[in-house]
Amino acid sequence: MAELEVGAPAPEFELEGPEGPIRLSDYAGKALVLYFYPKDDTTGCTKEAIDFSSHLDAFAAAGAEILGVSKDSVASHAKFAAKHDLKVRLGSDPTGAVTEAYGAWVEKNMYGRKYMGIERSTFLIGRDGRIAALWRKVKVPGHAQAVLSAVQSL
């Protein structure tokens, strides 16, 4: 699969959410920050979700919504959100189809062991449904603010 680039149409998706299916088309006419993270309730993923949640009002003022995606279940997402008072919407991708469509399912290497996993990555989808910006191999500190700046410049 070819890697997504700025200007490419965002792949359509359908994820599972607590309120029912979540589709890209639900965000038509709005900017969407779609971020992929490895696992609920782990240190980096928790910090990232809290950072995005703390900037939620600023994202909304700039006309953008935020959706975090992992392969964790809807029940796991609900528990994660409640435990950390998260305000961002979380979508479950149990089959990994959406994660793969966005190129976030990659080979990783830890302590010499190779395995497949979710690469922490973020896609800013513009109001036109195209990729406006993307970040791969995200480092959490300062990331939410960097994405907010990009949203504000749309």
Side-chain angles (χ1 to χ4, degrees), residues 1-62:
M1 150 170 270
E3 190 164 312
L4 290 176
E5 297 179 354
V6 170
E12 182 56 60
F13 61 77
E14 183 169 323
L15 299 163
E16 298 176 24
E19 307 85 26
I22 305 167
R23 298 176 188 85
L24 177 60
S25 57
D26 297 342
Y27 300 95
K30 299 177 187 171
L32 174 64
V33 174
L34 180 66
Y35 77 94
F36 292 87
Y37 65 97
K39 187 144 183 62
D40 286 344
D41 215 14
T42 56
T43 305
C45 299
T46 300
K47 175 81 170 106
E48 184 176 30
I50 289 170
D51 285 353
F52 275 123
S53 290
S54 71
H55 290 86
L56 197 62
D57 290 342
F59 278 101

Side-chain angles (χ1 to χ4, degrees), residues 88-130:
V88 295
R89 193 169 187 192
L90 301 175
S92 175
D93 183 25
T95 67
V98 177
T99 305
E100 286 189 42
Y102 279 81
W105 186 249
V106 300
E107 183 177 78
K108 295 175 143 189
N109 188 347
M110 185 181 290
Y111 306 117
R113 183 178 73 90
K114 292 182 189 266
Y115 62 97
M116 296 300 290
I118 294 178
E119 175 183 70
R120 191 180 309 280
S121 47
T122 302
F123 298 84
L124 174 54
I125 301 170
R127 292 169 188 83
D128 61 358
R130 295 188 172 275

